[in-house]
Structures are given as structure tokens and as C-alpha cells.
Amino acid sequence: MQRCLDLASLGSGNVAPNPMVGAILVYENEIIGEGFHQQYGQAHAEVNCLNSVKQYNKHLIEKSTLYVSLEPCNHFGKTPPCSELIISHKIPKVVIACTDPFEKVNGSGIKKLSDSGVEVITGILENDAIELNNRFFTFHQQKRPYIILKWAQSENQCISAFQGKPIKISNALTDILVHKWRSEEAAIMVGTNTIMVDNPSLTTRNWVGKNPVRIFIDRNLKIEHTAKILDQSAPTIIFNQHIKKTEGENDFIQINFEHEIIPQINELLFQKNIQSVIIEGGAKILQTFIDEGFWDEARIITNQTMIIENGNASPKFDYKSCFKQEKIESDLIQYFSNPKAKKAK
């Protein structure tokens, strides 16, 4: 099963909104086939696994055990049901890490296999399998995107210079890692002030990978059309209180600023099938997500050689125990998880 999880992880950044899945076929303790879901809309892990079996081993399929990191699907989507594929190949035993929370599956794949006489074993490395697809599980179980907070700060915990003047905090190597993070998520979000001060592109130009959907909050549509984030190089969502329209890759969506905006944003992103979003600032929007409890993971970059005099303070963040940290030259990167993350209303 660990091999299944390792294979599944190779689909990172390419299969969303589908989950990452790996599968192997074993005959008498020997792997005769393996595969993973490589690209959204293309063949699932089980299909690639069975297709990888050499011709001289095809007759062994109906005597083998299939290991798969997530419950096989049982519905017609972009591809046919994998449960029917398994049954048609007369595979006698299937070992599954965890159940698929998607409402069109959610146990029905396991039931279909069992009802067809297939021996099914579940719960093998279940927690690891759920953690691998934490974005997928959060989306379907909590009805909102998986939310990652990210910011860079100086050693004295300032997120920007005096009066919001642009200042480079993280180093060049860390910037490459940040762009890798962007390529792994469905969307990236910032506030109006970040765009007005930094004029960011919010793309993955320093990493080979897809651009996330760009999202920003611009209540009164202050951002000029010449801003990089409106250059239509990537799909962009603008939450505002005035208009609802689409202009090329730019999608203007109205929300009610007289009510809590984070639950509204969560619901709208859920409706748009956006499973994860990384919040890159500024301090105000980050603090709002922190205060309202709508975050799953935080990644804080601290430049340990930089002091910003009279700078703007970083978000107030009281979590002390990080689950991981790493050092990249001047930067200390700490990773936190939120065990009390709020569900959508």
C-alpha cells in the first residue's frame, strides 16, 4: 500500500479536482502491474495499472490482488467506473486504503465489488491515504476549499515596510519553492492592498507547472486594468460588491460586504469546484482567515537576517508547535496545521 501512495503522489498538481490515486497488482508477492492517475480527465490508476501488465502475465490478472490507495469509483464521469473494470477482469481480491468521500462514490464502489463476489479489505494505511488527499477530503467533507496561509516576515515579525512600501523579504531560492507551492494548488488569493503595493503576477513563472486560478478581493474595484493580475494570462476571480460579469479570463463575482465575506467566498469557490487555495496576503486578509478559523495549514517564512524598522506587523498567530520546519539560506520555513479548522456553514 505504501507503494500505491508513492505512485499516487506523482499526480500532484495534475489531477485536481480528482484525487491522487495509485494502484498495484500483485501475484504471489510479485508486482506484475502498477499505475497512477496522471492527468485530470484521463485514465484512472486502476486502468493504468491493468494496462501495464505484460502480455505474458495477462492470464495472472484473475489470480492476483489489486491494491489501491482510494476506493474505486462506481460512476460514469470523465471515464467509466473502475469497479466494473475490476469485476470484468475477474480480480478476486482488492485491498483499499480508504473510502472515497465523493457523494457519487462514498462506499458504493466497495459495495459493488463485494456484491459481485470480490473480497474487499479496507483501512490499510488509511490515515496516510487521507493525508495524501487532504485537499480532496476537506473539499467533499467540509464543503469548502483546503486553505493554506502563507506569508514572509522579517526576524522582528514585520510583513512589509513602513507605509506598505515594497520590500523583498524571502530569498531567491525560497521564491522558487513558493512558486512550486503555487503549482500544487488550485487557486491563489490576495487582497487589494497587496496588488496596489506589489503589483504581483501570482503565476508559477519560476517553476514548471500550471498557474493557479488567481483570486483577489477588490470591494470597490480600485485595481487598474493595467495591473498584472488582470493581464488574462491565467483565470482570475475578482470578488467585489458592484458587478457580476466575465471578461475573457477575468470573472467578476459579487459578494455582500455587509455580511461575513469568508463564508461567502468559501461557498462560491466550492461551487466552482476549486479544491484548494493558498492565501498569500496581505496581513489584513490573512488575519481574517486566522480569526475566523477558516484555515487548514500555515506556512510562515522568516528571514532571520532581516530587521524592518517601523514596519507593518505580521498577522497575529498564536500557534507555537509546527509539524515541520526547514532552512533555506537566510530563511526559516515553518509549517503549521489547524486541528480546529472550521467547516463551511
Side-chain angles (χ1 to χ4, degrees):
M1 189 58 73
Q2 185 59 56
R3 176 61 179 165
C4 288
L5 296 176
D6 292 343
L7 286 168
S9 67
L10 298 177
S12 176
N14 296 315
V15 301
N18 283 353
M20 293 175 282
V21 185
I24 64 172
L25 191 67
V26 177
Y27 175 74
E28 293 187 350
N29 294 320
E30 181 180 347
I31 295 175
I32 62 171
E34 62 179 29
F36 65 97
H37 186 30
Q38 300 178 17
Q39 189 74 42
Y40 175 68
Q42 296 183 10
H44 287 187
E46 297 92 331
V47 177
N48 289 329
C49 174
L50 292 173
N51 286 343
S52 76
V53 178
K54 301 298 183 184
Q55 188 61 42
Y56 56 79
N57 280 331
K58 294 287 187 182
H59 69 287
L60 299 177
I61 293 177
E62 62 183 43
K63 303 175 184 178
S64 300
T65 298
L66 179 69
Y67 291 79
V68 61
S69 61
L70 188 70
E71 175 185 7
C73 64
N74 192 42
H75 66 289
F76 283 89
K78 294 284 186 180
T79 61
C82 289
S83 57
E84 292 187 4
L85 177 73
I86 294 167
I87 293 167
S88 69
H89 278 78
K90 300 180 181 179
I91 297 172
K93 183 177 180 179
V94 178
V95 181
I96 300 168
C98 62
T99 303
D100 187 333
F102 181 42
E103 61 183 5
K104 291 184 178 180
V105 187
N106 198 19
S108 66
I110 292 172
K111 186 177 186 303
K112 180 69 173 291
L113 293 173
S114 297
D115 289 348
S116 299
V118 178
E119 180 186 356
V120 180
I121 297 174
T122 62
I124 307 302
L125 295 185
E126 181 176 22
N127 291 337
D128 292 335
I130 292 172
E131 179 61 27
L132 176 68
N133 279 306
N134 50 18
R135 290 149 181 78
F136 183 77
F137 275 80
T138 296
F139 184 80
H140 287 288
Q141 292 178 335
Q142 301 190 24
K143 309 301 181 186
R144 64 164 176 81
Y146 184 87
I147 298 168
I148 301 169
L149 309 180
K150 171 263 168 182
W151 70 88
Q153 62 184 15
S154 62
E155 177 64 17
N156 61 332
Q157 296 187 356
C158 288
I159 196 172
S160 60
F162 179 63
Q163 293 183 338
K165 293 182 179 179
I167 186 171
K168 190 75 183 67
I169 297 179
S170 56
N171 63 51
L173 288 177
T174 301
D175 288 347
I176 294 173
L177 176 61
V178 169
H179 282 228
K180 177 178 181 292
W181 291 346
R182 291 177 179 179
S183 74
E184 295 168 344
E185 308 307 331
I188 182 171
M189 182 187 295
V190 295
T192 307
N193 289 340
T194 297
I195 298 171
M196 295 180 71
V197 172
D198 297 333
N199 193 23
S201 297
L202 301 184
T203 61
T204 57
R205 60 194 179 278
N206 290 334
W207 186 263
V208 177
K210 66 176 180 60
N211 290 322
V213 174
R214 303 180 296 191
I215 303 169
F216 67 98
I217 302 170
D218 185 9
R219 178 173 183 171
N220 295 309
L221 298 175
K222 295 179 179 178
I223 302 304
E224 298 288 340
H225 288 289
T226 54
K228 293 178 182 177
I229 200 169
L230 293 172
D231 64 7
Q232 303 204 33
S233 63
T236 303
I237 295 172
I238 304 97
F239 287 116
N240 71 97
Q241 72 173 2
H242 297 287
I243 60 173
K244 180 179 181 180
K245 67 175 182 178
T246 299
E247 292 182 345
E249 291 291 324
N250 299 332
D251 196 4
F252 293 81
I253 298 177
Q254 282 180 293
I255 57 175
N256 186 349
F257 283 83
E258 302 305 317
H259 294 84
E260 293 180 330
I261 65 169
I262 303 304
Q264 294 179 68
I265 289 172
N266 284 339
E267 181 178 354
L268 288 163
L269 295 183
F270 179 79
Q271 292 173 4
K272 286 185 168 293
N273 210 22
I274 292 177
Q275 288 191 0
S276 64
V277 57
I278 184 166
I279 316 294
E280 286 206 7
K284 183 177 180 181
I285 188 173
L286 286 163
Q287 194 66 61
T288 302
F289 275 90
I290 293 169
D291 291 345
E292 295 190 16
F294 282 117
W295 65 277
D296 300 284
E297 187 178 329
R299 301 171 184 177
I300 304 174
I301 302 165
T302 303
N303 185 330
Q304 297 181 303
T305 64
M306 177 181 286
I307 300 294
I308 300 177
E309 299 293 344
N310 300 316
N312 295 311
S314 303
K316 184 179 179 182
F317 189 76
D318 296 328
Y319 290 78
K320 304 299 181 184
S321 180
C322 63
F323 67 85
K324 174 185 172 183
Q325 67 179 33
E326 57 186 323
K327 191 82 163 31
I328 301 180
E329 294 185 339
S330 59
D331 295 338
L332 174 67
I333 307 173
Q334 295 176 296
Y335 300 77
F336 300 82
S337 62
N338 183 9
K340 299 180 180 179
K342 288 178 64 175
K343 295 183 180 182
K345 293 182 179 179

